[in-house]
Amino acid sequence: MGTDTDILGAAAGALKIANAVRSGRVGALEVTEAALARVAALDRSFNAYTEVTAERARSEARAVDAARAAGKDPGALAGVPYAVKNLFDIRDVTTLAGSKINRGRAPAETDAFLVRRMHEAGAVLTGALNMDEYAYGFTTENTHYGPTRNPHDVARIAGGSSGGSAAAVAGGLVPLTLGSDTNGSIRVPSSLCGIFGLKPTYGRLSRHGGYPFVASLDHVGPFARSVEDLAQCYDVLQAPDAADPACAMRPVEPIAGALGAGADRLRIAVAGDYFERRAAPEALAAVAAVAKALGVTRRVIIPEAARARAAAFIISAAEGGNLHLPDLKSRPQDFEPLSRDRLLAGALIPATWVLQAQRLRAWYRDRIRELFSEVDVILAPATPRSATLIGQETMTLDGETMPVRPNLGMFTQPISFIGLPVLAVPVSLGGALPIGVQIIAAPWRELDCLRVGKALELAGIAAAPVAKQAALA
Amino acid sequence: MTSATPFDAAAYVDAAAAALGLPLAPAHRPGVIANMERIAGLALLVMELPLDEATEPAPVFEP
């Protein structure tokens, strides 16, 4: 019975569950009930979920069990409970995107593209997850729905904007979640919650049926507690989709079977200069631990990273402000107070700043392409420090005091700006609070990121145990 | 924009908001101005990097 208990427990991984369900050792419904019970018991502490879709979950689980009983393939993620950031459309559920304003909208008529992919693979949707309003934030201190709390220390933020997605996985509620990343919204919460998160190449995964923020920079991707689970989920999500204008119509490139190739033949370097300044000791120690484990001594300079970040900031504010201009005109009081004034200012940005930022983006992309002729993978901190306290306004880094909320993304923003694939890996430093490192690869080379992640897992450097508070509950 | 002619975020915000027909509540205006000042500082970083005329904006439209 030990095995069954493991499979029904908070620490069970997605592949372990899928294998058990596919072989008939456990029913999908049994796994689903266990996950729903964990959500009911623990999420009062985390506030990761804004909606629990229990009936849908049971119905999807029964369909998986019926398919298996009928001798059909129940799917690569058969019976795996998961949840999605509440900007993904879920049939019959109103897509909030973290806002009060969208609460007045009709429920979605169909699932988002990625939710359909998960359904077809036999995964079981347990609900929708909290986020910063309209994905404009790095902390998930959502004024309308309350802050999501970090399962490693519930007095602290989970990071954002996909805070619910990271907390649900770190807290052992479900082994897989989906989120989005425009400037760091997968990598920042992954780092602060101590889990793996993948922001694939811009255009790799379809965003169709996801509420947009910055069309130029929006990405979607998965969270998990192991590289294998993340890779399997990513493989399930891959499919060209003409309904997302940014989705590259590339053939699917599955990677889950190739993780064992190791990192030995990859040319890896640590990002210097910008990525070494204004970082807390734990952020630099995490990068150093990863570099040491991989035998990396090389350093590269990503040119003009500060300007890249500035340009990403301007494009984000301008596109976000434009998207929400009708509501900003008619009901500004209904917006999240923490980001409303930034959206209002964004709506007023002169066109020439935005256009220059987009030209700088093309220039910067060309410089980084040159860099990838010399190296395959670049290491950088994911966040400048570990999780801050909920409500904390400022932090001091390298003697400079700055606001927390816009600056948690200082190391992620220059990377997503040109759509590079990044794996956030949680690094075990022995401290109380987790922190992550960005494993950055050339465009379309997600596999390189995950090969390095797998090697770090095998070396015992990267690990994402369920948060102790949750594991004890 | 140079340091000799500092960007007047308050004047700009008021003029641009009026031109766009975007009413700014008195409670929101100081925050909007503070954000515009921050954005203008970032724009300085963006605008001062010389780019040649062949460098097109990144997004490409496919008809």
Side-chain angles (χ1 to χ4, degrees), chain A residues 7 9 15 34 105 117 119 123 163 185 187 208 242 268 274 281 292 324 343 409 420 460:
Chain A
I7 287 165
L15 279 180
R105 296 188 171 192
R117 298 289 303 169
H119 174 79
S185 288
R187 295 158 289 159
H208 186 61
I268 308 176
Y274 175 90
K292 188 178 172 204
H324 294 291
L343 276 177
L420 302 176

Side-chain angles (χ1 to χ4, degrees), chain A residues 94-456:
Chain A
T94 295
T95 308
L96 298 175
S99 72
K100 173 183 168 184
I101 289 168
N102 291 30
R103 200 154 59 193
R105 296 188 171 192
E109 290 178 8
T110 54
D111 288 338
F113 184 84
L114 294 193
V115 175
R116 288 206 300 276
R117 298 289 303 169
M118 294 294 279
H119 174 79
E120 285 158 14
V124 171
L125 182 66
T126 60
L129 301 163
N130 201 8
M131 56 183 282
D132 288 289
E133 183 182 85
Y134 297 132
Y136 210 0
F138 289 123
T139 64
T140 315
E141 294 166 293
N142 187 303
T143 301
H144 313 302
Y145 303 99
T148 291
R149 297 177 176 276
N150 193 313
H152 291 274
D153 177 352
V154 293
R156 294 178 184 273
I157 60 166
S161 65
S162 312
S165 304
V169 168
L173 304 181
V174 284
L176 292 176
T177 57
L178 304 183
S180 67
D181 186 319
T182 301
N183 285 298
S185 288
I186 287 175
R187 295 158 289 159
V188 168
S190 292
S191 174
L192 302 189
C193 287
I195 61 167
F196 294 92
L198 176 65
K199 185 206 74 63
T201 310
Y202 181 75
R204 172 74 86 174
L205 298 180
S206 170
R207 308 169 303 182
H208 186 61
Y211 193 84
F213 170 27
V214 181
S216 291
L217 305 174
D218 288 343
H219 306 65
V220 285
F223 298 80
R225 289 189 305 271
S226 76
V227 173
E228 271 190 340
D229 281 2
L230 197 70
Q232 184 64 64
C233 184
Y234 166 69
D235 282 353
V236 160
L237 298 175
Q238 285 188 62
D241 178 21
D244 174 357
C247 189
M249 301 306 279
R250 294 171 66 93
V252 170
E253 296 176 277
I255 60 169
L259 302 178
D264 289 350
R265 284 190 300 278
L266 296 172
R267 299 166 299 170
I268 308 176
V270 172
D273 190 39
Y274 175 90
F275 296 90
E276 298 166 314
R277 285 183 272 117
R278 302 198 301 170
E282 67 267 22
L284 296 174
V287 174
V290 166
K292 188 178 172 204
L294 298 168
V296 173
T297 52
R298 187 166 178 179
R299 200 164 157 273
V300 289
I301 303 298
I302 295 179
E304 303 294 357
R307 293 188 207 281
R309 183 187 178 215
F313 193 106
I314 287 168
I315 292 168
S316 298
E319 288 194 24
N322 167 263
L323 186 68
H324 294 291
L325 185 57
D327 287 326
L328 288 168
K329 282 184 176 181
S330 63
R331 50 192 300 193
Q333 72 284 357
D334 292 333
F335 280 78
E336 166 64 69
L338 294 172
S339 51
R340 177 196 51 228
D341 296 351
R342 206 162 8 136
L343 276 177
L344 282 164
L348 304 175
I349 292 178
T352 199
W353 293 355
V354 183
L355 291 169
Q356 190 81 6
Q358 287 285 13
R359 290 175 64 209
L360 190 148
R361 183 170 168 225
W363 176 89
Y364 176 70
R365 182 226 17 235
D366 292 345
R367 300 291 82 71
I368 307 303
R369 275 185 184 163
E370 291 164 10
L371 205 54
F372 277 113
S373 66
E374 299 162 28
V375 297
D376 300 306
V377 168
I378 300 171
L379 310 174
T383 48
R385 53 158 295 164
S386 55
T388 48
L389 294 165
I390 291 169
Q392 185 175 330
E393 296 290 334
T394 61
M395 58 184 175
T396 302
L397 298 166
D398 268 356
E400 186 184 336
T401 298
M402 62 189 85
V404 168
R405 294 187 184 97
N407 285 308
L408 283 173
M410 65 166 71
F411 296 137
T412 50
Q413 216 161 356
I415 308 300
S416 37
F417 182 48
I418 48 166
L420 302 176
V422 187
L423 172 67
V425 297
V427 178
S428 323
L429 292 173
L433 292 172
I435 191 155
V437 168
Q438 294 187 89
I439 314 289
I440 305 159
W444 315 111
R445 296 296 306 168
E446 285 84 355
L447 176 58
D448 289 350
C449 303
L450 273 81
R451 279 171 61 188
V452 172
K454 183 67 193 169
L456 292 169

